[in-house]
Amino acid sequence: MANLSPEFVAEYRRNVWDKPDWKWRVSNLYRCKPKKGGEPFDFRPNPLQKRLYDDMWYRNVILKGRGMGSTTGVMVLALDLCYSIPSFSCAIVAHTQDKATEIFQDHIRFMHDSCEYPIKRELRADTYGSKSDLQFDNGSRLAVYVTMAGGSHQCFIWTEAGVQSALDPEGAKNVKMQGLPTARDDAARIFIESTGQGGPQGVFYDTCMAAREETAMIQSKKIKWSQRSYRFHFFPWFEDPNKVRASEYPITKEDAEYFKKIERTLSMTLD
């Protein structure tokens, strides 16, 4: 149920109307569907999502552990951009039709239907029953694709790019060559995110390495950020507190060697 307390209403007026603040909006106005069933919950950014929001650039490449929330964080932002900016177009590309349907129904459509605040835009009547496309009364549009070519978008999200690179290399090349160029404006937002499935090969691996090198060069002040620079984000599984077991758990010799390698490489101690 929407929060209608005087304090919240004052915050809403300040952060939505008077001095718009997208971080406040995405942290307070949207609801999500739990993966394992149960009651919908108010979206509050977890530590990974907060880091992504704080560090993101116009163009972003995200290498992450599974189930850490980066996809949800980006989807909330995409819907908020469509609500807040007239004639804003966002394209989301998934690696299979089943995944595209899940993203649309369980993320995008659910968040839209459950939003109870005035920021919510009305759907155009001709898109009420769509299973992949939301078009709003402010002229904005959010659509989920499996393959695409052509068009013009101010936001482009390629989810599970590593999975597609491993399972469908030609499809991944098609997204890179025909999908990404649709976000042609310098100020377009781009998010390419995935786990590292497929290992050190393929389109997503090459994209990660290029973004990592560019980010390192910028951070060492060898070159400067431009709107077309790709910022590399790395969120490893061991930074997720939900992946830490509270009790002793037997591990294999191979697991122990893997954990020691991580500790040596990153000069850290795993819990």
Side-chain angles (χ1 to χ4, degrees):
M1 182 177 294
N3 184 347
L4 298 179
S5 69
E7 296 79 9
F8 185 87
V9 171
E11 280 194 76
Y12 183 96
R13 294 176 65 91
R14 181 168 61 253
N15 291 289
V16 177
W17 295 338
D18 298 339
K19 294 182 65 176
D21 182 342
W22 68 266
K23 285 185 181 179
W24 185 90
R25 295 196 306 265
V26 299
S27 300
N28 289 277
L29 302 182
Y30 300 100
R31 309 200 81 201
C32 294
K33 183 178 182 179
K35 291 182 179 180
K36 298 181 180 180
E39 291 296 317
F41 62 92
D42 295 330
F43 176 74
R44 300 291 183 265
N46 65 27
L48 177 150
Q49 291 158 343
K50 288 180 180 178
R51 278 175 54 196
L52 178 60
Y53 290 158
D54 287 342
D55 296 343
M56 71 182 189
W57 189 241
Y58 293 92
R59 302 179 178 215
N60 303 271
V61 177
I62 305 165
L63 175 61
K64 45 89 173 190
R66 189 170 300 281
M68 297 181 72
S70 68
T71 302
T72 299
V74 173
M75 298 304 162
V76 174
L77 176 61
L79 183 62
D80 183 75
L81 289 169
C82 288
Y83 281 173
S84 305
I85 304 175
S87 302
F88 188 89
S89 178
C90 179
I92 301 169
V93 177
H95 65 292
T96 66
Q97 185 57 59
D98 286 346
K99 191 64 179 179
T101 299
E102 176 189 326
I103 288 172
F104 183 79
Q105 296 291 351
D106 294 349
H107 287 280
I108 303 302
R109 187 66 198 238
F110 182 87
M111 287 190 294
H112 170 75
D113 289 346
S114 62
C115 182
E116 299 179 313
Y117 295 100
I119 192 174
K120 179 178 180 178
R121 307 302 310 193
E122 293 299 321
L123 291 178
R124 281 177 38 184
D126 56 343
T127 65
Y128 281 164
S130 174
K131 297 181 179 179
S132 63
D133 188 357
L134 294 184
Q135 297 184 41
F136 303 103
D137 60 357
N138 65 346
S140 292
R141 180 184 185 189
L142 199 164
V144 185
Y145 304 89
V146 177
T147 59
M148 63 173 300
S152 180
H153 305 286
Q154 289 75 52
C155 181
F156 186 91
I157 300 168
W158 184 6
T159 181
E160 296 298 355
V163 178
Q164 184 168 18
S165 297
L167 302 180
D168 180 16
E170 289 304 313
K173 291 177 183 177
N174 178 71
V175 175
K176 181 177 181 179
M177 299 302 294
Q178 299 190 49
L180 273 173
T182 65
R184 58 178 60 92
D185 190 83
D186 284 352
R189 283 84 160 175
I190 294 177
F191 298 89
I192 304 172
E193 63 98 28
S194 184
T195 59
Q197 183 170 332
Q201 59 187 339
V203 170
F204 182 63
Y205 173 79
D206 293 341
T207 302
C208 283
M209 291 301 99
R212 181 184 181 190
E213 180 179 359
E214 183 174 27
T215 300
M217 291 182 69
I218 292 170
Q219 291 175 341
S220 64
K221 298 184 179 181
K222 293 180 180 179
I223 59 175
K224 294 182 179 181
W225 285 110
S226 76
Q227 289 178 312
R228 288 187 170 270
S229 300
Y230 278 88
R231 183 157 193 164
F232 181 68
H233 307 265
F234 179 45
F235 302 115
W237 63 266
F238 50 79
E239 291 186 359
D240 183 355
N242 295 320
K243 291 182 171 58
V244 177
R245 290 185 178 271
S247 58
E248 292 293 329
Y249 186 81
I251 60 174
T252 65
K253 180 180 178 181
E254 291 77 12
D255 288 338
E257 292 175 350
Y258 169 66
F259 295 144
K260 288 179 181 179
K261 181 179 179 181
I262 291 178
E263 291 179 329
R264 288 195 303 269
T265 302
L266 300 179
S267 300
M268 63 176 296
T269 300
L270 294 175
D271 292 334

